[in-house]
Amino acid sequence: MSSPTLTMKCKCGAFEATFDSPPRVIFNCQCRSCVSIVKSIEAREGFSGTSMKCDDESGGAAIAIYKSNNNTVVKSDKESIGFMKVGEEGKIPRAYCNKCGTVLFNVYAPNWCAVNRNAFTNADGEPFVPEGEVMNVNCKSAFDASKVTGPKHNMVPFRMLLKFIPLLAGFGVDGSNKEESLIPEDMSKVEVSPITWE
């Protein structure tokens, strides 16, 4: 891997990863699943982590997408990582630091990952700020669509899907996301964020 472009750390420093390229895609996800995870973790007593909420009042999740071969976990251990899923039958474990509460990955899959972009810093140590306006996606599923500002789309736009499909199909990726501390041993023991909107 070449020298890192971005570093991602939780607020307390228990977790660190480096990324050797700009994000493949950035967006704010307004779906109830992503927002519910952020709300559940960040509402806990003692939360002191870096928030995953986007800058507006909508509460959407600030996400950056990466290929597996563009990130390296520098510091992590099983004792510092917790997991949460949406509903008892949830299939996607969201990794967070159980010391400060920073949501780390919204998805950590073998070929790609969805990262809390608010936890990024540039090579000079300054916070990462996306260039231009960031698209809000899945707005039709927002808890309060009237609070979603800026560019928005009811679903994931087709042009964004074109950047996801190769990752899901395994093209141009090496499947190297295998950091054991970021993969729960037993999904039945993963914490649950309740489904409150059915």
Side-chain angles (χ1 to χ4, degrees):
M1 193 165 130
S2 60
S3 61
T5 298
L6 296 169
T7 299
M8 192 258 271
K9 291 183 183 179
C10 65
K11 194 75 162 240
C12 71
F15 179 87
E16 181 178 346
T18 56
F19 298 80
D20 70 356
S21 71
R24 186 171 178 87
V25 182
I26 58 171
F27 57 90
N28 300 324
C29 188
Q30 299 291 341
C31 82
R32 292 178 181 168
S33 177
C34 290
V35 172
S36 131
I37 289 290
V38 172
K39 285 182 175 182
S40 293
I41 293 172
E42 295 185 8
R44 291 180 168 179
E45 186 175 332
F47 172 79
S48 62
T50 302
S51 177
M52 191 175 192
K53 291 178 186 170
C54 56
D55 292 335
D56 61 27
E57 294 179 25
S58 69
I63 294 174
I65 302 295
Y66 273 93
K67 297 191 304 185
S68 57
N69 33 322
N70 290 125
N71 75 83
T72 300
V73 174
V74 176
K75 181 180 179 185
S76 181
D77 65 78
K78 284 192 177 287
E79 289 73 40
S80 300
I81 305 296
F83 300 95
M84 190 175 282
K85 63 185 177 182
V86 178
E88 291 292 338
E89 302 301 317
K91 304 287 185 225
I92 302 172
R94 273 61 175 231
Y96 68 95
C97 174
N98 61 24
K99 294 181 179 177
C100 65
T102 301
V103 177
L104 304 168
F105 293 95
N106 206 31
V107 175
Y108 184 79
N111 290 330
W112 66 284
C113 56
V115 183
N116 175 357
R117 75 168 188 270
N118 291 341
F120 280 146
T121 55
N122 295 310
D124 62 5
E126 290 296 312
F128 169 75
V129 178
E131 292 181 15
E133 291 187 294
V134 176
M135 173 72 73
N136 288 281
V137 301
N138 295 320
C139 295
K140 74 174 186 175
S141 301
F143 281 106
D144 186 350
S146 68
K147 291 185 177 179
V148 179
T149 61
K152 52 188 169 181
H153 203 281
N154 281 335
M155 299 172 63
V156 176
F158 184 70
R159 69 180 184 274
M160 205 177 273
L161 279 176
L162 289 176
K163 294 184 178 185
F164 274 106
I165 292 169
L167 301 180
L168 298 173
F171 297 121
V173 295
D174 62 8
S176 62
N177 281 353
K178 296 179 182 167
E179 173 60 42
E180 288 184 14
S181 65
L182 296 171
I183 302 168
E185 293 175 7
D186 185 350
M187 278 296 287
S188 68
K189 295 180 180 175
V190 169
E191 291 176 80
V192 174
S193 176
I195 295 174
T196 59
W197 55 87
E198 290 184 328

mmCIF file of all heavy atoms in Angstrom, residues 8 10 15 37 41 52 76 80-85 92-98 101-108 114-116 179-184 190-191:
data_model
loop_
_atom_site.group_PDB
_atom_site.id
_atom_site.type_symbol
_atom_site.label_atom_id
_atom_site.label_comp_id
_atom_site.label_asym_id
_atom_site.label_seq_id
_atom_site.Cartn_x
_atom_site.Cartn_y
_atom_site.Cartn_z
ATOM 1 N N MET A 8 -8.294 7.168 9.677
ATOM 2 C CA MET A 8 -9.545 7.124 10.415
ATOM 3 C C MET A 8 -9.249 6.606 11.811
ATOM 4 O O MET A 8 -8.664 5.535 11.965
ATOM 5 C CB MET A 8 -10.550 6.209 9.727
ATOM 6 C CG MET A 8 -11.956 6.338 10.281
ATOM 7 S SD MET A 8 -12.406 5.030 11.378
ATOM 8 C CE MET A 8 -13.070 3.839 10.271
ATOM 9 N N CYS A 10 -10.945 6.424 15.967
ATOM 10 C CA CYS A 10 -12.036 6.749 16.875
ATOM 11 C C CYS A 10 -11.530 7.850 17.806
ATOM 12 O O CYS A 10 -10.332 8.138 17.851
ATOM 13 C CB CYS A 10 -12.488 5.518 17.653
ATOM 14 S SG CYS A 10 -11.259 4.841 18.769
ATOM 15 N N PHE A 15 -8.925 2.573 18.000
ATOM 16 C CA PHE A 15 -8.976 2.027 16.642
ATOM 17 C C PHE A 15 -8.363 3.023 15.676
ATOM 18 O O PHE A 15 -8.565 4.226 15.789
ATOM 19 C CB PHE A 15 -10.411 1.737 16.203
ATOM 20 C CG PHE A 15 -10.497 1.191 14.806
ATOM 21 C CD1 PHE A 15 -10.375 -0.162 14.570
ATOM 22 C CD2 PHE A 15 -10.662 2.037 13.720
ATOM 23 C CE1 PHE A 15 -10.421 -0.664 13.274
ATOM 24 C CE2 PHE A 15 -10.708 1.549 12.423
ATOM 25 C CZ PHE A 15 -10.585 0.191 12.209
ATOM 26 N N ILE A 37 -29.040 3.036 13.742
ATOM 27 C CA ILE A 37 -27.782 2.595 14.359
ATOM 28 C C ILE A 37 -27.067 3.794 14.973
ATOM 29 O O ILE A 37 -26.620 3.751 16.125
ATOM 30 C CB ILE A 37 -26.870 1.906 13.321
ATOM 31 C CG1 ILE A 37 -27.426 0.541 12.933
ATOM 32 C CG2 ILE A 37 -25.439 1.798 13.819
ATOM 33 C CD1 ILE A 37 -27.354 -0.529 14.005
ATOM 34 N N ILE A 41 -26.435 4.183 19.124
ATOM 35 C CA ILE A 41 -25.090 4.209 19.713
ATOM 36 C C ILE A 41 -24.789 5.573 20.321
ATOM 37 O O ILE A 41 -24.291 5.673 21.447
ATOM 38 C CB ILE A 41 -24.030 3.801 18.672
ATOM 39 C CG1 ILE A 41 -24.217 2.321 18.311
ATOM 40 C CG2 ILE A 41 -22.617 4.066 19.184
ATOM 41 C CD1 ILE A 41 -23.380 1.828 17.155
ATOM 42 N N MET A 52 -21.277 10.135 13.706
ATOM 43 C CA MET A 52 -21.404 9.735 12.311
ATOM 44 C C MET A 52 -22.503 10.540 11.621
ATOM 45 O O MET A 52 -22.744 10.392 10.431
ATOM 46 C CB MET A 52 -21.699 8.242 12.202
ATOM 47 C CG MET A 52 -21.585 7.693 10.802
ATOM 48 S SD MET A 52 -21.805 5.914 10.787
ATOM 49 C CE MET A 52 -21.280 5.540 9.129
ATOM 50 N N SER A 76 -6.323 -2.180 16.334
ATOM 51 C CA SER A 76 -7.651 -2.674 16.672
ATOM 52 C C SER A 76 -7.512 -3.893 17.568
ATOM 53 O O SER A 76 -6.527 -4.622 17.479
ATOM 54 C CB SER A 76 -8.409 -3.063 15.400
ATOM 55 O OG SER A 76 -9.708 -3.518 15.711
ATOM 56 N N SER A 80 -12.052 -3.797 22.231
ATOM 57 C CA SER A 80 -12.453 -2.404 22.001
ATOM 58 C C SER A 80 -13.571 -2.261 20.976
ATOM 59 O O SER A 80 -14.082 -1.166 20.780
ATOM 60 C CB SER A 80 -11.252 -1.585 21.501
ATOM 61 O OG SER A 80 -10.224 -1.609 22.445
ATOM 62 N N ILE A 81 -13.954 -3.347 20.319
ATOM 63 C CA ILE A 81 -14.934 -3.272 19.237
ATOM 64 C C ILE A 81 -16.247 -3.916 19.650
ATOM 65 O O ILE A 81 -16.276 -5.057 20.115
ATOM 66 C CB ILE A 81 -14.410 -3.968 17.956
ATOM 67 C CG1 ILE A 81 -13.057 -3.402 17.528
ATOM 68 C CG2 ILE A 81 -15.436 -3.858 16.819
ATOM 69 C CD1 ILE A 81 -13.048 -1.956 17.122
ATOM 70 N N GLY A 82 -17.333 -3.155 19.496
ATOM 71 C CA GLY A 82 -18.675 -3.681 19.696
ATOM 72 C C GLY A 82 -19.390 -3.721 18.363
ATOM 73 O O GLY A 82 -18.935 -3.130 17.371
ATOM 74 N N PHE A 83 -20.511 -4.413 18.322
ATOM 75 C CA PHE A 83 -21.286 -4.544 17.089
ATOM 76 C C PHE A 83 -22.759 -4.322 17.379
ATOM 77 O O PHE A 83 -23.257 -4.681 18.444
ATOM 78 C CB PHE A 83 -21.113 -5.934 16.468
ATOM 79 C CG PHE A 83 -19.699 -6.268 16.113
ATOM 80 C CD1 PHE A 83 -18.898 -6.984 16.991
ATOM 81 C CD2 PHE A 83 -19.159 -5.846 14.912
ATOM 82 C CE1 PHE A 83 -17.580 -7.277 16.672
ATOM 83 C CE2 PHE A 83 -17.840 -6.134 14.589
ATOM 84 C CZ PHE A 83 -17.057 -6.862 15.469
ATOM 85 N N MET A 84 -23.451 -3.738 16.413
ATOM 86 C CA MET A 84 -24.892 -3.549 16.518
ATOM 87 C C MET A 84 -25.517 -3.849 15.166
ATOM 88 O O MET A 84 -24.940 -3.542 14.131
ATOM 89 C CB MET A 84 -25.221 -2.126 16.960
ATOM 90 C CG MET A 84 -26.686 -1.924 17.312
ATOM 91 S SD MET A 84 -27.041 -0.275 17.982
ATOM 92 C CE MET A 84 -26.437 -0.467 19.652
ATOM 93 N N LYS A 85 -26.695 -4.462 15.203
ATOM 94 C CA LYS A 85 -27.461 -4.737 13.986
ATOM 95 C C LYS A 85 -28.861 -4.163 14.177
ATOM 96 O O LYS A 85 -29.277 -3.860 15.298
ATOM 97 C CB LYS A 85 -27.520 -6.243 13.708
ATOM 98 C CG LYS A 85 -28.232 -7.043 14.793
ATOM 99 C CD LYS A 85 -28.145 -8.540 14.532
ATOM 100 C CE LYS A 85 -28.811 -9.331 15.667
ATOM 101 N NZ LYS A 85 -28.701 -10.778 15.480
ATOM 102 N N ILE A 92 -26.387 -7.250 8.955
ATOM 103 C CA ILE A 92 -25.188 -6.425 8.805
ATOM 104 C C ILE A 92 -24.743 -5.922 10.178
ATOM 105 O O ILE A 92 -25.422 -5.106 10.794
ATOM 106 C CB ILE A 92 -25.453 -5.220 7.870
ATOM 107 C CG1 ILE A 92 -25.914 -5.707 6.495
ATOM 108 C CG2 ILE A 92 -24.210 -4.357 7.749
ATOM 109 C CD1 ILE A 92 -26.386 -4.598 5.578
ATOM 110 N N PRO A 93 -23.589 -6.412 10.662
ATOM 111 C CA PRO A 93 -23.080 -5.912 11.943
ATOM 112 C C PRO A 93 -22.330 -4.593 11.732
ATOM 113 O O PRO A 93 -21.433 -4.507 10.908
ATOM 114 C CB PRO A 93 -22.124 -7.017 12.391
ATOM 115 C CG PRO A 93 -21.628 -7.616 11.108
ATOM 116 C CD PRO A 93 -22.761 -7.486 10.117
ATOM 117 N N ARG A 94 -22.738 -3.560 12.446
ATOM 118 C CA ARG A 94 -22.046 -2.274 12.371
ATOM 119 C C ARG A 94 -21.030 -2.213 13.500
ATOM 120 O O ARG A 94 -21.384 -2.351 14.666
ATOM 121 C CB ARG A 94 -23.039 -1.121 12.529
ATOM 122 C CG ARG A 94 -23.731 -0.635 11.286
ATOM 123 C CD ARG A 94 -24.581 -1.609 10.546
ATOM 124 N NE ARG A 94 -25.267 -0.971 9.439
ATOM 125 C CZ ARG A 94 -26.559 -1.058 9.222
ATOM 126 N NH1 ARG A 94 -27.336 -1.757 10.005
ATOM 127 N NH2 ARG A 94 -27.094 -0.444 8.192
ATOM 128 N N ALA A 95 -19.761 -2.021 13.150
ATOM 129 C CA ALA A 95 -18.681 -2.008 14.148
ATOM 130 C C ALA A 95 -18.528 -0.615 14.747
ATOM 131 O O ALA A 95 -18.548 0.379 14.030
ATOM 132 C CB ALA A 95 -17.366 -2.443 13.498
ATOM 133 N N TYR A 96 -18.356 -0.563 16.070
ATOM 134 C CA TYR A 96 -18.123 0.707 16.753
ATOM 135 C C TYR A 96 -17.138 0.489 17.892
ATOM 136 O O TYR A 96 -16.948 -0.632 18.370
ATOM 137 C CB TYR A 96 -19.436 1.315 17.267
ATOM 138 C CG TYR A 96 -20.079 0.545 18.396
ATOM 139 C CD1 TYR A 96 -19.846 0.901 19.726
ATOM 140 C CD2 TYR A 96 -20.907 -0.540 18.146
ATOM 141 C CE1 TYR A 96 -20.424 0.196 20.766
ATOM 142 C CE2 TYR A 96 -21.489 -1.249 19.176
ATOM 143 C CZ TYR A 96 -21.244 -0.875 20.484
ATOM 144 O OH TYR A 96 -21.810 -1.586 21.518
ATOM 145 N N CYS A 97 -16.486 1.560 18.321
ATOM 146 C CA CYS A 97 -15.577 1.487 19.464
ATOM 147 C C CYS A 97 -16.431 1.468 20.725
ATOM 148 O O CYS A 97 -17.213 2.383 20.964
ATOM 149 C CB CYS A 97 -14.629 2.690 19.480
ATOM 150 S SG CYS A 97 -13.602 2.745 20.974
ATOM 151 N N ASN A 98 -16.275 0.433 21.538
ATOM 152 C CA ASN A 98 -17.116 0.355 22.729
ATOM 153 C C ASN A 98 -16.551 1.158 23.900
ATOM 154 O O ASN A 98 -17.109 1.150 24.991
ATOM 155 C CB ASN A 98 -17.395 -1.097 23.124
ATOM 156 C CG ASN A 98 -16.154 -1.876 23.449
ATOM 157 O OD1 ASN A 98 -15.129 -1.316 23.819
ATOM 158 N ND2 ASN A 98 -16.233 -3.190 23.315
ATOM 159 N N GLY A 101 -17.493 5.117 21.690
ATOM 160 C CA GLY A 101 -18.765 5.068 20.980
ATOM 161 C C GLY A 101 -18.717 5.440 19.510
ATOM 162 O O GLY A 101 -19.741 5.413 18.834
ATOM 163 N N THR A 102 -17.548 5.772 18.971
ATOM 164 C CA THR A 102 -17.458 6.136 17.554
ATOM 165 C C THR A 102 -17.888 4.961 16.672
ATOM 166 O O THR A 102 -17.348 3.864 16.797
ATOM 167 C CB THR A 102 -16.011 6.527 17.180
ATOM 168 O OG1 THR A 102 -15.594 7.625 17.987
ATOM 169 C CG2 THR A 102 -15.895 6.894 15.710
ATOM 170 N N VAL A 103 -18.886 5.189 15.788
ATOM 171 C CA VAL A 103 -19.223 4.178 14.788
ATOM 172 C C VAL A 103 -18.058 4.159 13.807
ATOM 173 O O VAL A 103 -17.645 5.200 13.294
ATOM 174 C CB VAL A 103 -20.542 4.494 14.058
ATOM 175 C CG1 VAL A 103 -20.807 3.451 12.972
ATOM 176 C CG2 VAL A 103 -21.707 4.550 15.040
ATOM 177 N N LEU A 104 -17.502 2.982 13.550
ATOM 178 C CA LEU A 104 -16.336 2.864 12.673
ATOM 179 C C LEU A 104 -16.750 2.517 11.252
ATOM 180 O O LEU A 104 -16.439 3.231 10.309
ATOM 181 C CB LEU A 104 -15.382 1.806 13.225
ATOM 182 C CG LEU A 104 -14.919 2.042 14.667
ATOM 183 C CD1 LEU A 104 -14.215 0.814 15.223
ATOM 184 C CD2 LEU A 104 -14.042 3.268 14.751
ATOM 185 N N PHE A 105 -17.433 1.392 11.109
ATOM 186 C CA PHE A 105 -17.849 0.907 9.793
ATOM 187 C C PHE A 105 -19.343 0.644 9.801
ATOM 188 O O PHE A 105 -19.851 -0.060 10.674
ATOM 189 C CB PHE A 105 -17.114 -0.392 9.428
ATOM 190 C CG PHE A 105 -15.649 -0.208 9.212
ATOM 191 C CD1 PHE A 105 -14.742 -0.438 10.238
ATOM 192 C CD2 PHE A 105 -15.165 0.198 7.982
ATOM 193 C CE1 PHE A 105 -13.377 -0.268 10.042
ATOM 194 C CE2 PHE A 105 -13.803 0.380 7.774
ATOM 195 C CZ PHE A 105 -12.915 0.138 8.802
ATOM 196 N N ASN A 106 -20.031 1.182 8.817
ATOM 197 C CA ASN A 106 -21.440 0.877 8.632
ATOM 198 C C ASN A 106 -21.565 -0.480 7.943
ATOM 199 O O ASN A 106 -22.538 -1.188 8.147
ATOM 200 C CB ASN A 106 -22.097 1.981 7.817
ATOM 201 C CG ASN A 106 -23.570 2.089 8.097
ATOM 202 O OD1 ASN A 106 -24.032 1.820 9.190
ATOM 203 N ND2 ASN A 106 -24.315 2.479 7.085
ATOM 204 N N VAL A 107 -20.576 -0.818 7.143
ATOM 205 C CA VAL A 107 -20.440 -2.145 6.533
ATOM 206 C C VAL A 107 -18.945 -2.454 6.483
ATOM 207 O O VAL A 107 -18.140 -1.588 6.119
ATOM 208 C CB VAL A 107 -21.001 -2.202 5.087
ATOM 209 C CG1 VAL A 107 -20.728 -3.555 4.446
ATOM 210 C CG2 VAL A 107 -22.481 -1.882 5.055
ATOM 211 N N TYR A 108 -18.584 -3.684 6.863
ATOM 212 C CA TYR A 108 -17.202 -4.151 6.705
ATOM 213 C C TYR A 108 -17.301 -5.529 6.061
ATOM 214 O O TYR A 108 -17.548 -6.529 6.721
ATOM 215 C CB TYR A 108 -16.485 -4.224 8.052
ATOM 216 C CG TYR A 108 -15.027 -4.600 7.946
ATOM 217 C CD1 TYR A 108 -14.084 -3.648 7.568
ATOM 218 C CD2 TYR A 108 -14.587 -5.894 8.200
ATOM 219 C CE1 TYR A 108 -12.751 -3.982 7.451
ATOM 220 C CE2 TYR A 108 -13.255 -6.230 8.091
ATOM 221 C CZ TYR A 108 -12.340 -5.273 7.722
ATOM 222 O OH TYR A 108 -11.003 -5.616 7.608
ATOM 223 N N ALA A 114 -17.991 0.534 4.238
ATOM 224 C CA ALA A 114 -18.646 1.842 4.365
ATOM 225 C C ALA A 114 -18.163 2.431 5.682
ATOM 226 O O ALA A 114 -18.401 1.880 6.743
ATOM 227 C CB ALA A 114 -20.162 1.678 4.361
ATOM 228 N N VAL A 115 -17.461 3.556 5.586
ATOM 229 C CA VAL A 115 -16.712 4.132 6.701
ATOM 230 C C VAL A 115 -17.395 5.397 7.222
ATOM 231 O O VAL A 115 -17.983 6.158 6.456
ATOM 232 C CB VAL A 115 -15.277 4.492 6.214
ATOM 233 C CG1 VAL A 115 -14.423 5.023 7.340
ATOM 234 C CG2 VAL A 115 -14.618 3.292 5.556
ATOM 235 N N ASN A 116 -17.279 5.638 8.530
ATOM 236 C CA ASN A 116 -17.719 6.900 9.137
ATOM 237 C C ASN A 116 -16.759 7.981 8.656
ATOM 238 O O ASN A 116 -15.666 8.130 9.174
ATOM 239 C CB ASN A 116 -17.693 6.787 10.662
ATOM 240 C CG ASN A 116 -18.007 8.086 11.370
ATOM 241 O OD1 ASN A 116 -18.199 9.127 10.753
ATOM 242 N ND2 ASN A 116 -18.052 8.023 12.687
ATOM 243 N N GLU A 179 -9.920 -8.303 8.891
ATOM 244 C CA GLU A 179 -9.523 -7.968 10.255
ATOM 245 C C GLU A 179 -10.505 -8.633 11.222
ATOM 246 O O GLU A 179 -11.680 -8.292 11.275
ATOM 247 C CB GLU A 179 -9.512 -6.449 10.437
ATOM 248 C CG GLU A 179 -9.285 -5.986 11.843
ATOM 249 C CD GLU A 179 -7.960 -6.434 12.441
ATOM 250 O OE1 GLU A 179 -6.933 -6.393 11.722
ATOM 251 O OE2 GLU A 179 -7.952 -6.832 13.613
ATOM 252 N N GLU A 180 -10.008 -9.611 11.981
ATOM 253 C CA GLU A 180 -10.887 -10.413 12.847
ATOM 254 C C GLU A 180 -11.633 -9.590 13.883
ATOM 255 O O GLU A 180 -12.768 -9.911 14.230
ATOM 256 C CB GLU A 180 -10.080 -11.515 13.524
ATOM 257 C CG GLU A 180 -9.672 -12.610 12.571
ATOM 258 C CD GLU A 180 -8.961 -13.760 13.262
ATOM 259 O OE1 GLU A 180 -9.016 -13.847 14.510
ATOM 260 O OE2 GLU A 180 -8.356 -14.568 12.549
ATOM 261 N N SER A 181 -11.015 -8.515 14.365
ATOM 262 C CA SER A 181 -11.692 -7.717 15.392
ATOM 263 C C SER A 181 -12.916 -6.994 14.848
ATOM 264 O O SER A 181 -13.766 -6.541 15.620
ATOM 265 C CB SER A 181 -10.717 -6.712 16.013
ATOM 266 O OG SER A 181 -10.303 -5.758 15.055
ATOM 267 N N LEU A 182 -13.047 -6.889 13.518
ATOM 268 C CA LEU A 182 -14.177 -6.187 12.900
ATOM 269 C C LEU A 182 -15.251 -7.134 12.376
ATOM 270 O O LEU A 182 -16.182 -6.711 11.690
ATOM 271 C CB LEU A 182 -13.672 -5.287 11.777
ATOM 272 C CG LEU A 182 -12.745 -4.154 12.226
ATOM 273 C CD1 LEU A 182 -12.130 -3.461 11.029
ATOM 274 C CD2 LEU A 182 -13.482 -3.173 13.113
ATOM 275 N N ILE A 183 -15.111 -8.409 12.695
ATOM 276 C CA ILE A 183 -16.078 -9.414 12.256
ATOM 277 C C ILE A 183 -16.586 -10.143 13.500
ATOM 278 O O ILE A 183 -15.807 -10.785 14.205
ATOM 279 C CB ILE A 183 -15.426 -10.411 11.275
ATOM 280 C CG1 ILE A 183 -14.862 -9.657 10.063
ATOM 281 C CG2 ILE A 183 -16.434 -11.471 10.844
ATOM 282 C CD1 ILE A 183 -13.954 -10.489 9.174
ATOM 283 N N PRO A 184 -17.877 -10.031 13.813
ATOM 284 C CA PRO A 184 -18.381 -10.701 15.017
ATOM 285 C C PRO A 184 -18.306 -12.218 14.891
ATOM 286 O O PRO A 184 -18.503 -12.765 13.811
ATOM 287 C CB PRO A 184 -19.829 -10.221 15.120
ATOM 288 C CG PRO A 184 -20.195 -9.793 13.746
ATOM 289 C CD PRO A 184 -18.931 -9.355 13.073
ATOM 290 N N VAL A 190 -24.834 -10.246 18.722
ATOM 291 C CA VAL A 190 -24.634 -8.838 18.372
ATOM 292 C C VAL A 190 -25.784 -8.017 18.959
ATOM 293 O O VAL A 190 -26.943 -8.429 18.913
ATOM 294 C CB VAL A 190 -24.554 -8.674 16.833
ATOM 295 C CG1 VAL A 190 -24.620 -7.218 16.413
ATOM 296 C CG2 VAL A 190 -23.278 -9.327 16.311
ATOM 297 N N GLU A 191 -25.449 -6.841 19.530
ATOM 298 C CA GLU A 191 -26.480 -5.955 20.088
ATOM 299 C C GLU A 191 -27.491 -5.591 19.015
ATOM 300 O O GLU A 191 -27.166 -5.522 17.832
ATOM 301 C CB GLU A 191 -25.847 -4.650 20.579
ATOM 302 C CG GLU A 191 -24.964 -4.782 21.779
ATOM 303 C CD GLU A 191 -24.333 -3.428 22.076
ATOM 304 O OE1 GLU A 191 -25.023 -2.582 22.686
ATOM 305 O OE2 GLU A 191 -23.173 -3.238 21.687
#
